[in-house]
């Protein structure tokens, strides 16, 4: 996905924030019905196609992984941050969580029925996205589904000392049409998209996008 220095910086960032992140965000999905509607549609489509293993790539503390499991999917989580993986295992001890990156998922070609990347492409630069999407296409079975979520915008945002921690990282915001075009080039045409305004009850400051794609 990225070079070693960037991976190290991202890992350090989320290791430092992990506990505070869990306190603020682990349960936020329960208050976001539109977000849950996209996850529900994704789960229904995966199950209708015969089911199979689903990877939550960039799973953080595992809240989306657990929700996918509740929807009937055989879901497991992957995250770059060892501390996030540790917390995910504490929150959901019956589910599988492991360390990994978006281009080193460690699965064979066509081994996944679905992939969710929930706000996990936001630290990937534009020139690195084709590699990530090519890996997703490789992993999915024919007819497999991909669900992406990300912040809508035109410029990256540099976040320094979040929640008082001495770390910093770039957050990449994108236009849904641009991401959909890259997915199509990777062989993952978008089947549905949703955008919504920021949730004024939380810490969101930008509109949010959700793209549902399918490997033919």
């Amino acid at each position: 996905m990225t070079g070693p220095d960037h991976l190290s910086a991202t890992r350090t960032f989320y290791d430092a924030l992990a506990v505070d992140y869990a306190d603020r965000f682990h349960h936020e999905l329960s208050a976001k019905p539109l977000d849950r509607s996209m996850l529900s549609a994704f789960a229904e489509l995966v199950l209708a196609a015969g089911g199979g293993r689903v990877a939550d790539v960039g799973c953080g503390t595992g809240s989306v992984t657990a929700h996918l499991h509740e929807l009937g999917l055989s879901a497991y989580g992957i995250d770059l941050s060892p501390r996030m993986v540790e917390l995910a295992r504490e929150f959901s001890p019956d589910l599988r969580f492991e360390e990994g990156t978006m281009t080193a998922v460690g699965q064979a070609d066509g081994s996944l029925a679905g992939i969710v990347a929930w706000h996990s492409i936001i630290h990937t630069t534009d020139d690195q996205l084709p590699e990530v999407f090519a890996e997703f296409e490789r992993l999915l079975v024919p007819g497999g589904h991909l669900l992406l979520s990300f912040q809508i915008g035109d410029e990256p945002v540099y976040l320094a000392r979040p929640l008082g921690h001495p770390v910093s990282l770039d957050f990449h915001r994108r236009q849904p049409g641009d991401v959909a075009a890259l997915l199509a080039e990777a062989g993952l045409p978008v089947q549905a998209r949703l955008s919504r305004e920021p949730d004024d009850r939380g810490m969101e400051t930008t509109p949010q996008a959700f793209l549902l794609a399918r490997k033919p």
Side-chain angles (χ1 to χ4, degrees), residues 51-67:
R53 300 178 68 216
V54 170
D56 178 13
V57 181
C59 65
T61 59
S63 59
V64 170
T65 319
H67 188 70

Side-chain angles (χ1 to χ4, degrees), residues 145-175:
H145 290 84
L146 167 69
L147 178 60
L148 296 180
S149 66
F150 52 93
Q151 300 168 338
I152 298 175
D154 297 305
E155 299 293 337
V157 173
Y158 179 73
L159 183 61
R161 300 190 62 84
L163 306 175
H165 294 280
V167 291
S168 59
L169 200 63
D170 285 329
F171 285 66
H172 295 275
R173 298 169 175 174
R174 298 183 166 94
Q175 293 299 325

Side-chain angles (χ1 to χ4, degrees), residues 114-142:
I115 297 172
V116 171
W118 200 256
H119 292 287
S120 55
I121 63 168
I122 60 176
H123 305 303
T124 307
T125 60
D126 290 345
D127 63 336
Q128 295 156 347
L129 278 181
E131 180 185 359
V132 171
F133 293 162
E135 175 70 353
F136 290 170
E137 192 276 340
R138 180 190 73 80
L139 291 165
L140 285 171
V141 298

Side-chain angles (χ1 to χ4, degrees), residues 23-25 27-37 196-206 208 210:
D23 288 342
R24 287 175 179 254
F25 300 119
H27 299 290
E28 69 172 353
L29 193 59
S30 63
K32 295 182 175 180
L34 292 176
D35 300 25
R36 295 198 311 274
S37 73
R196 65 165 176 79
E197 293 304 306
D199 183 352
D200 58 10
R201 295 166 296 180
M203 297 181 65
E204 293 178 354
T205 59
T206 61
Q208 308 291 305
F210 307 84

